Amino acid sequence: MVVTAHPLATKVGLDIMKKGGNAIDASIAVQFALAVVYPRAGNIGGGGFMVYRSKDNAYAALDFREKAPKQSHRDMYLDSLGNVIEGLSLKSHMAVGVPGVVDGMVKAHQKYGSLSWKELVQPAFELAQGGILLTQKEADKLNETQADFKAVNTKDNVFMGTFSKGQLFKQLELAETLARIRDEGEKGFYEGPTADLLVEEMKRGNGIITHDDLKSYDAVWRTPFAEPYKSYTIISMPPPSSGGIALCQLLNTLEQYPIRDMEFHSAEHVHLVTEIERRVYADRATHLGDPDFWEVPQQQLIAEPYLIERMNDFNPDSATSSEKILAGEFATKESEETTHFSIVDDEGNAVSVTTTLNLNYGSKIVVGGAGFFLNNEMDDFSVKPGVPNYFGLVGNEGNAIESEKRMLSSMTPSIILKDDQLYMVVGTPGGSTIITSVFQTFVNVAEFEQPLLDAVHNKRFHSQWLPDKIFIEEATLDSTVIRQLEEMGHTIEERRPIGRVEAILVHPDGKLEGVADSRGDDDAGGL
Ligand code: DON
């Protein structure tokens, strides 16, 4: 079963499994295919995380998150008065972190791959060379972004122009880059012509990534985050993602309350979850960062007595104020521009991958002559203590910029076991809402006993400490519930869709059910 953001990427994953490839083989091929067919988030110029559980119950977590270039420093986005220079961490060559995807895929392949590397990159190469037919949504998104493309790019590229539905869209420069990656592995990206083109792009645009940065990038295997919740085991991403810890904090705090007795989307339900989320995101802002640079108190954060104590001032009838600190402005303009895919092979090996350029088409910068977008992941750092990033998230010392550090992430690729058997593979884009979307999807199935189809498609709500609001999708809560919550002291704000969940559920008879979120063009396919 393969669930991705694009039908052609799903097909690539299934084709690889038909050839005898395992779930990791399919994931590698899907990652490269998404870079071609879903360039707004699929990528080779960004980073991500892979969580794996083998049929024999071995777990692994691969961190191919971008790193701050070596010349980065704490105040690189501040002017001489110490104020944040608007846009520098988002739409400039300075916004780009050293890409991790290609090295990540090479490492995944070395450890678990069964088909040849070339076979896994070839489908993406063919899609780039032969072209794809644009959907209406894809054409619209490209047309909408033209002003940004023109503002930041130093050379013309295939993403510039006017696009329409059904148009054949070829990416010949990207095909050449993919051919180098196919034939030379990581050297095809971090050295040679691709690296030269990337560094030349940096020089033209005053960016700071050097050959040395590229050559020394290393994806790392980390100890997966794995913690129990009732009869389940949550396997997810450890730091530099906040996802695993935060998801576990949410669940293990929720466990103290009779959630099953609450009506779904009642004021009681939304209030409780919001109060838990407020506390968890406050911890995220203070305690989390790249573990190679910052000591994350992981065990303390998920200890049951601590989580119980955190709720001491919880009042079932009124909202606790998130107080102090600058209230973050929450992004409402951009849609969900990270992407997740979930894959289970016929042996029961499971892979959960979330990968990102950060925003829509990342920095919007295409490497001249190499045809791929570069991320703007540097904005995920706390550019100044207390100043919110694009997602309204505030941070502090733990997530301050340092040379070669990884920026804190919310990506939560997860695999959940029930009674030690594979149960669910799940993840989503959505910036800061990723954690709460994965949380809701799982709780909808495990506690509210919803079918997976409903659990993925039911409307979502989200709260993150700062700004002190409950964000809801259109028509999530009825007006009485909204009034009740407002009377408790909550501020409710409607916003664009929250999350695009790609999930697989394993039924007791072993059957796999895949659900792709209809908030996008997403697609689930099985053999
Ligand atoms: O790593 C993170 O948390 C973000 N860069 C993810 C960005 C994202 O999901 C964009 N979608 N709205």
Side-chain angles (χ1 to χ4, degrees):
M1 178 71 68
V2 180
V3 192
T4 83
H6 199 287
L8 290 171
T10 297
K11 183 174 179 308
V12 164
L14 293 173
D15 287 347
I16 289 293
M17 294 207 282
K18 275 188 208 154
K19 278 180 143 184
N22 61 30
I24 294 272
D25 292 320
S27 300
I28 295 167
V30 165
Q31 172 79 45
F32 285 115
L34 282 168
V36 181
V37 301
Y38 194 65
R40 45 200 270 212
N43 68 84
I44 54 174
F49 301 124
M50 173 185 281
V51 172
Y52 173 68
R53 189 238 182 200
S54 77
K55 61 178 191 305
D56 312 317
N57 205 27
Y59 314 154
L62 181 59
D63 170 0
F64 50 100
R65 181 76 161 163
E66 301 91 328
K67 291 175 85 163
K70 291 189 181 186
Q71 287 169 43
S72 306
H73 57 91
R74 192 193 159 93
D75 298 334
M76 61 193 276
Y77 300 115
L78 306 185
D79 64 17
S80 57
L81 300 173
N83 298 318
V84 176
I85 304 168
E86 215 185 304
L88 204 58
S89 67
L90 282 169
K91 287 182 192 173
S92 83
H93 287 64
M94 291 272 286
V96 185
V98 183
V101 161
V102 176
D103 192 47
M105 294 307 105
V106 167
K107 293 222 160 64
H109 183 250
Q110 282 166 349
K111 194 157 174 184
Y112 295 109
S114 72
L115 298 188
S116 74
W117 173 256
K118 287 190 176 180
E119 279 174 287
L120 305 181
V121 187
Q122 181 66 16
F125 166 78
E126 286 171 11
L127 286 165
Q129 197 184 47
I132 58 167
L133 299 177
L134 293 179
T135 66
Q136 188 66 55
K137 277 188 187 150
E138 288 160 355
D140 289 348
K141 195 47 105 181
L142 286 167
N143 290 335
E144 262 167 42
T145 320
Q146 288 304 311
D148 279 338
F149 290 158
K150 286 191 187 108
V152 292
N153 277 288
T154 60
K155 288 203 161 175
D156 284 351
N157 58 63
V158 288
F159 301 96
M160 291 165 149
T162 311
F163 298 90
S164 53
K165 184 182 167 199
Q167 175 179 342
L168 182 68
F169 182 61
K170 293 187 183 182
Q171 301 176 63
L172 300 180
E173 289 176 344
L174 177 59
E176 284 173 29
T177 301
L178 287 166
R180 289 190 287 271
I181 295 169
R182 178 196 62 199
D183 298 339
E184 293 159 54
E186 62 185 306
K187 286 200 170 134
F189 185 85
Y190 295 96
E191 297 176 37
T194 313
D196 292 344
L197 290 167
L198 201 157
V199 172
E200 281 161 24
E201 180 62 51
M202 285 290 133
K203 285 188 182 145
R204 283 195 301 275
N206 298 319
I208 56 173
I209 296 179
T210 61
H211 278 290
D212 184 29
D213 280 314
L214 293 171
K215 240 184 142 163
S216 51
Y217 181 86
D218 240 335
V220 269
W221 291 101
R222 304 214 180 257
T223 308
F225 183 88
E227 287 293 325
Y229 164 71
K230 298 187 175 173
S231 60
Y232 302 93
T233 308
I234 312 294
I235 308 167
S236 191
M237 200 61 208
S241 180
S242 55
I245 291 179
L247 179 61
C248 174
Q249 286 188 298
L250 291 171
L251 287 169
N252 289 331
T253 312
L254 187 74
E255 192 177 357
Q256 316 300 325
Y257 299 86
I259 184 73
R260 284 175 160 251
D261 301 339
M262 295 179 191
E263 191 188 326
F264 183 64
H265 283 180
S266 62
E268 184 186 27
H269 169 209
V270 177
H271 173 62
L272 171 66
V273 167
T274 301
E275 291 302 314
I276 298 173
E277 289 173 355
R278 189 193 304 289
R279 288 157 178 83
V280 167
Y281 277 81
D283 276 349
R284 181 194 190 280
T286 308
H287 294 299
L288 296 198
D290 179 352
D292 295 341
F293 287 75
W294 176 257
E295 206 166 312
V296 178
Q298 179 163 320
Q299 286 318 313
Q300 287 96 313
L301 285 171
I302 59 171
E304 195 177 305
Y306 170 75
L307 294 173
I308 292 173
E309 196 205 301
R310 287 286 279 163
M311 292 297 276
N312 273 350
D313 54 353
F314 168 67
N315 180 335
D317 302 316
S318 76
T320 327
S321 158
S322 285
E323 301 178 344
K324 300 190 231 155
I325 319 194
L326 287 171
E329 272 310 304
F330 201 84
T332 51
K333 296 191 296 291
E334 296 250 0
S335 51
E336 313 307 330
E337 298 328 332
T338 289
T339 190
H340 179 85
F341 53 93
S342 295
I343 298 183
V344 177
D345 65 23
D346 60 347
E347 296 193 313
N349 301 301
V351 180
S352 192
V353 174
T354 314
T355 179
T356 189
L357 290 164
N358 196 20
L359 303 192
N360 207 18
Y361 306 107
S363 63
K364 279 86 173 168
I365 298 166
V366 175
V367 173
F372 63 92
F373 282 107
L374 290 167
N375 67 82
N376 56 354
E377 220 74 61
M378 290 295 282
D379 189 66
D380 275 351
F381 278 117
S382 169
V383 300
K384 187 179 171 181
V387 173
N389 73 359
Y390 182 83
F391 298 103
L393 292 166
V394 290
N396 235 306
E397 209 52 46
N399 191 30
I401 306 170
E402 288 179 64
S403 170
E404 295 195 85
K405 188 177 178 181
R406 288 178 159 95
M407 51 302 276
L408 184 61
S409 174
S410 301
M411 292 188 286
T412 313
S414 301
I415 295 175
I416 298 169
L417 313 182
K418 185 176 186 181
D419 301 324
D420 298 325
Q421 301 299 313
L422 183 63
Y423 179 67
M424 190 187 273
V425 185
V426 60
T428 180
S432 55
T433 68
I434 290 174
I435 301 164
T436 56
S437 296
V438 170
F439 170 66
Q440 282 171 89
T441 307
F442 172 62
V443 169
N444 288 355
V445 176
E447 301 296 355
F448 289 110
E449 298 181 343
Q450 295 171 6
L452 187 65
L453 198 67
D454 297 344
V456 168
H457 290 122
N458 273 331
K459 302 283 183 179
R460 303 191 185 103
F461 61 96
H462 168 79
S463 189
Q464 58 176 41
W465 179 48
L466 292 176
D468 191 347
K469 290 179 183 170
I470 302 175
F471 295 95
I472 59 171
E473 293 182 286
E474 197 186 345
T476 302
L477 304 175
D478 72 42
S479 54
T480 325
V481 171
I482 292 182
R483 206 169 331 110
Q484 285 170 326
L485 288 165
E486 284 170 348
E487 278 164 12
M488 289 174 171
H490 291 289
T491 307
I492 319 283
E493 188 175 306
E494 204 173 279
R495 51 158 276 176
R496 60 181 166 79
I498 298 176
R500 267 171 74 163
V501 171
E502 320 291 359
I504 298 175
L505 188 71
V506 185
H507 287 262
D509 62 1
K511 250 191 202 141
L512 302 175
E513 179 185 6
V515 175
D517 203 323
S518 57
R519 287 168 178 85
D521 288 331
D522 312 27
D523 184 50
L527 295 176

